Amino acid sequence: MRDHYQEQLDELANRLADMCDRVAAALGKATHALLNADLQLAEEVISEDVGIDGVRDRAEEQAFALLALQAPVATDLRIVVSAIHGAGDIERMGDLALHVAQAARRRHPQPVLPDEIAPYFSEMGRVGVELATKAAAVIRSRDLAAAAELETDDDAMDDLHRHMFTVLMDRDWDHGVAAAVDVTLLARFYERYADHAVAVARRIVYVVTGQMPGPLTV
């Protein structure tokens, strides 16, 4: 019975890690669609979001079943509770990738971003995908040092996000209000995506140590 119970806990963790891999792929595709006005790839991200939502539903169902049938305590209870919260964070990451893809579709066949802005979003996409991939690895390994690295990696996304406001406030901005709104919203999507990846890593720290490392604001 104990072996089966442990297998269920491991399956739950693996399901969350797989979700992280899926939202990493989603953001990678959405960023490519954004930068290249690739309608087909944008549509692919949009259609695949339903699958990510379904994985979250199954993870939550499994977690609630474990709570009801196994009455977990101590570390096991932290795993289950963190899985419920973590599934929400990861699903939200998928939604944010979806929003990026929708922006690419909405402006197609025109590019969403001015040429001089595109490299910053390319870097945001790279950082976001890396954060989600690292979050998946942290879920599988419960490596506290790796979890802490996500906090540092997130600083790069925060810097890029802040820089966008500097660009938008520059007197030489001549791309109009619509482009400014697009850039503001998209930068926010990437910044929030990164925040949710960090939240997932923090929940792993909680699983291992029993203490949450600082307030979660996402």
Side-chain angles (χ1 to χ4, degrees), residues 48-70:
E48 289 176 351
D49 184 65
V50 175
I52 295 172
D53 293 344
V55 176
R56 178 198 177 169
D57 291 342
R58 291 190 293 275
E60 287 187 339
E61 289 171 3
Q62 184 178 9
F64 285 123
L66 286 168
L67 284 175
L69 301 176
Q70 301 292 348

Side-chain angles (χ1 to χ4, degrees), residues 151 153-163 191 194-195:
E151 297 273 2
D153 294 343
D154 180 50
D155 291 342
M157 185 71 84
D158 291 338
D159 289 343
L160 288 162
H161 182 237
R162 284 191 293 268
H163 183 67
E191 189 262 345
D195 284 347

Side-chain angles (χ1 to χ4, degrees), residues 140-159:
R140 293 185 174 106
S141 67
R142 299 188 194 175
D143 185 330
L144 297 184
E149 284 181 10
L150 268 78
E151 297 273 2
T152 302
D153 294 343
D154 180 50
D155 291 342
M157 185 71 84
D158 291 338
D159 289 343

Side-chain angles (χ1 to χ4, degrees), residues 13-15 21-22 48 69 99 101-102 115 126 147 154 158 160 165 168-171 184 203 217:
N14 286 330
R15 183 165 280 163
D21 289 334
R22 292 181 71 159
E48 289 176 351
L69 301 176
H99 295 337
Q102 288 172 329
D115 290 342
R126 185 195 67 78
D154 180 50
D158 291 338
L160 288 162
F165 290 100
L168 292 171
M169 295 301 292
D170 193 296
R171 68 178 64 185
T184 300
R203 297 192 196 284
T217 58

Side-chain angles (χ1 to χ4, degrees), residues 111-118 120-121 163-187:
V112 179
L113 303 171
D115 290 342
E116 67 268 29
I117 298 294
Y120 296 109
F121 280 89
H163 183 67
M164 285 300 98
F165 290 100
T166 301
V167 173
L168 292 171
M169 295 301 292
D170 193 296
R171 68 178 64 185
D172 293 330
W173 177 266
D174 59 358
H175 301 290
V177 174
V181 170
D182 283 338
V183 169
T184 300
L185 288 175
L186 285 163

